[in-house]
């Protein structure tokens, strides 16, 4: 994270209500929040611009949290 910029948190969660609650809480704490509705969207977002932190649901459609983690780890090796 660059000095003077707000930390970015990526929320990867298929439940829209939970995403909304998390987004509201985190933006009130001065974080920049990005959202993805499944692991594949989250992975594409991560490749485009890695966040400072990820909040990850494990049970999701399309690509679950475990698949997301496996793909992210493959980027780091």
């Amino acid at each position: 994270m660059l000095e003077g910029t707000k930390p970015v948190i990526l929320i990867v969660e298929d439940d829209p209500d939970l995403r909304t609650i998390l987004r509201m809480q985190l933006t009130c704490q001065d974080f920049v929040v990005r959202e993805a509705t499944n692991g594949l969207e989250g992975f594409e977002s991560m490749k485009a611009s890695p966040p400072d932190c990820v909040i990850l649901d494990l049970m999701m459609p399309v690509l679950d949290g475990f698949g997301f983690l496996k793909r992210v780890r493959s980027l780091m090796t």
Side-chain angles (χ1 to χ4, degrees), residues 2-75:
L2 297 174
E3 188 175 333
T5 62
K6 296 180 183 180
V8 176
I9 297 179
L10 172 62
I11 300 171
V12 186
E13 169 62 60
D14 61 326
D15 183 322
D17 294 331
L18 186 52
R19 273 196 328 271
T20 299
I21 291 167
L22 288 167
R23 181 184 67 248
M24 290 172 63
Q25 289 294 317
L26 293 168
T27 54
C28 285
Q29 297 299 316
D30 219 23
F31 291 99
V32 174
V33 176
R34 296 193 335 238
E35 300 177 41
T37 61
N38 61 59
L40 187 57
E41 281 182 20
F43 180 69
E44 294 300 323
S45 176
M46 184 108 177
K47 283 193 321 185
S49 178
D52 297 300
C53 180
V54 176
I55 298 175
L56 178 64
D57 183 8
L58 294 178
M59 305 300 289
M60 295 179 288
V62 184
L63 181 65
D64 65 14
F66 297 108
F68 171 89
L69 289 172
K70 187 175 182 177
R71 288 186 183 196
V72 168
R73 287 183 185 135
S74 73
L75 290 176

